[in-house]
Amino acid sequence: MTTDPCAVRAHDLGKTYSVRGVKGGVRALSGLDVAVQRGIVFGLLGPNGAGKSTAIKVLTTLTRPDRGTAEIEGVDVLRHPDRVRRLIGVVAQRSGSDPRATGRENLILQARLYGMGGRAARARAAELLDRFDLAEVADRLVKTYSGGTQRRLDVALGLVHRPSVLFLDEPTTGLDPEARTAMWAEIQRLAGDDGLTVVLTTHYLEEADRLAQRLAIVDHGHVVAGGTPDELKGELRGDAVHLELPSGTVPGEVRAVLEALPSVREVRIAGRGVSARSDNGAAAVPAVLAALERAGMPAAAVTVARPSLDDVFLRYTGRRYAPDDGRDDRHDDRRDDHRDGHRDDAPGAAPPGTASPAPEASTGTPARQEAAK
Ligand SMILES: Nc1ncnc2c1ncn2[C@@H]1O[C@H](COP(=O)(O)OP(=O)(O)OP(=O)(O)O)[C@@H](O)[C@H]1O
Ligand SMILES: [Mg+2]
């Protein structure tokens, strides 16, 4: 066992996929560093194509980086992938369960793949069905499950062998708000009561803000900002003041009025909406409203908000955050091998010649993939 307080470490990870027709390939990772303290929920946040899933695949032995190092609980991912696979659970971006089997059957199969005997596998399945509130649907085919139920089963499958680090790649994408809230509670419970280290990727700023004790914002294959959600937000000094002005106001005049006030700065105007920053938004509002009133442009509405992760995101990536729900253009793990132009030699990676995997088989846990060989 290691005395390193970090359960996951990655240093300078680089990965370029070779893609036919794209000269030089597609760079997915370019010097990604992360260190995840044991027992926390760590969020990797970033836009489409930032490299989040590739980072997870490297850390979970499903693909090899071109450069860099990675360790799970002090075990080298590249040198000892089999040992690493015992330490981790993976819930991939797409479900890894078999829709034509029941939840219980999926869990038992998974347990057997990890080498448990029949009786132990059945007991572990029953325990997890209970733990994840799946007992009622345990003997129904997975294809009849709702999205949220299916995702809970995915998490249960990732935990069968009692890993110490759980990787969740977009655990709540596509879930309705109720199922998402339930999943959040579950994830919090895993890291809290169960002491697991959870690494999750997400498109949802709110999710990252709420769940993750520490965050890394990933853009173009590396981490552009990291810290606790509060630290990141704290870097944006003050509050955001948003105003809605009557139609017909002249932007230049609004700007002149607001920029003359010492209590606000960074005035941005978009149509009738105006936003500015202030060290103390609530205190600045009366002066702002009075100045606009005097200038004959009384504000129709005003709100004061603490900086959000959205603001943080804008600052570090130069773009507004626009989550893209329900995408169906996801790469599955097996396709890596073909597009890479080489076969990954991580033992968990799928063999060549499996060009059209059934969707449900596309992103299982490493053990499931290995068993599919
Ligand atoms: N198997 C692959 N073959 C070729 N290119 C790939 C493959 N997987 C990912 N890429 C490319 O690598 C880059 C990073 O992709 P990755 O899936 O890691 O991003 P992501 O942050 O997980 O995105 P998303 O939020 O959409 O899931 C993208 O440009 C993507 O198109
Ligand atoms: Mg992804």
Side-chain angles (χ1 to χ4, degrees):
M1 212 53 212
T2 160
T3 51
D4 187 341
C6 286
V8 179
R9 277 188 189 281
H11 177 60
D12 195 29
L13 290 179
K15 168 109 186 154
T16 298
Y17 291 103
S18 38
V19 175
R20 209 177 306 146
V22 181
K23 206 166 161 229
V26 173
R27 194 191 289 182
L29 297 177
S30 57
L32 183 122
D33 289 296
V34 282
V36 181
Q37 235 180 303
R38 196 166 289 119
I40 68 164
V41 178
F42 184 92
L44 284 174
L45 182 68
N48 284 148
K52 304 178 299 293
S53 292
T54 303
I56 298 267
K57 285 177 194 171
V58 168
L59 291 168
T60 58
T61 79
L62 290 169
T63 196
R64 288 179 77 86
D66 307 328
R67 67 161 208 261
T69 56
E71 285 176 9
I72 304 287
E73 301 284 10
V75 180
D76 190 306
V77 172
L78 295 174
R79 271 189 287 182
H80 304 291
D82 44 347
R83 277 172 61 197
V84 165
R85 289 202 305 275
R86 296 252 147 209
L87 295 168
I88 59 168
V90 190
V91 178
Q93 212 169 310
R94 279 193 192 164
S95 174
S97 60
D98 179 354
R100 294 152 307 184
T102 68
R104 189 188 306 279
E105 286 164 353
N106 268 282
L107 285 162
I108 291 173
L109 172 64
Q110 185 82 342
R112 298 300 302 247
L113 290 172
Y114 276 103
M116 285 184 209
R119 186 182 298 189
R122 284 193 299 278
R124 182 67 178 145
E127 193 183 327
L128 286 164
L129 287 165
D130 196 42
R131 163 79 169 71
F132 284 88
D133 219 4
L134 291 164
E136 225 169 87
V137 296
D139 299 304
R140 266 171 42 189
L141 297 185
V142 168
K143 66 180 180 195
T144 69
Y145 287 11
S146 69
T149 306
Q150 162 103 56
R151 221 49 189 139
R152 290 209 308 284
L153 175 67
D154 289 336
V155 177
L157 283 166
L159 292 172
V160 160
H161 56 299
R162 299 190 171 82
S164 58
V165 184
L166 182 66
F167 290 88
L168 301 170
D169 198 356
E170 296 194 28
T172 65
T173 297
L175 297 190
D176 61 50
E178 200 183 324
R180 180 172 301 157
T181 311
M183 183 57 84
W184 286 351
E186 196 50 65
I187 293 168
Q188 266 161 338
R189 191 148 66 112
L190 289 171
D193 303 352
D194 298 359
L196 266 181
T197 306
V198 178
V199 179
L200 62 84
T201 74
T202 182
H203 275 250
Y204 300 112
L205 292 155
E206 190 197 352
E207 176 164 295
D209 199 2
R210 214 186 274 201
L211 281 184
Q213 276 107 312
R214 295 195 79 84
L215 276 178
I217 296 179
V218 182
D219 196 31
H220 298 305
H222 60 269
V223 174
V224 292
T228 67
D230 281 343
E231 276 166 7
L232 288 172
K233 287 184 283 185
E235 286 180 32
L236 298 167
R237 206 160 42 91
D239 300 322
V241 178
H242 299 286
L243 294 155
E244 197 186 313
L245 296 179
S247 48
T249 45
V250 181
E253 288 175 16
V254 178
R255 182 179 296 284
V257 169
L258 294 178
E259 284 182 347
L261 298 171
S263 54
V264 296
R265 58 180 189 278
E266 296 174 43
V267 177
R268 289 203 186 94
I269 303 177
R272 290 174 56 200
V274 176
S275 65
R277 304 204 69 79
S278 170
D279 286 342
N280 183 342
V285 162
V288 168
L289 294 180
L292 288 168
E293 185 93 45
R294 272 199 306 276
M297 301 178 273
V302 59
T303 52
V304 175
R306 295 287 307 139
S308 68
L309 277 180
D310 202 10
D311 300 315
V312 177
F313 195 81
L314 175 66
R315 164 157 171 201
Y316 284 105
T317 67
R319 298 189 294 285
R320 275 264 159 232
Y321 198 75
D324 182 7
D325 268 351
R327 290 155 299 130
D328 198 26
D329 58 345
R330 297 170 186 179
H331 304 288
D332 63 64
D333 303 310
R334 293 183 183 206
R335 266 185 260 146
D336 283 7
D337 296 351
H338 303 279
R339 297 194 206 165
D340 268 349
H342 72 272
R343 183 189 168 188
D344 276 342
D345 52 359
T354 47
S356 347
E360 71 275 13
S362 63
T363 55
T365 64
R368 187 173 281 270
Q369 291 210 332
E370 196 172 29
K373 275 192 194 176

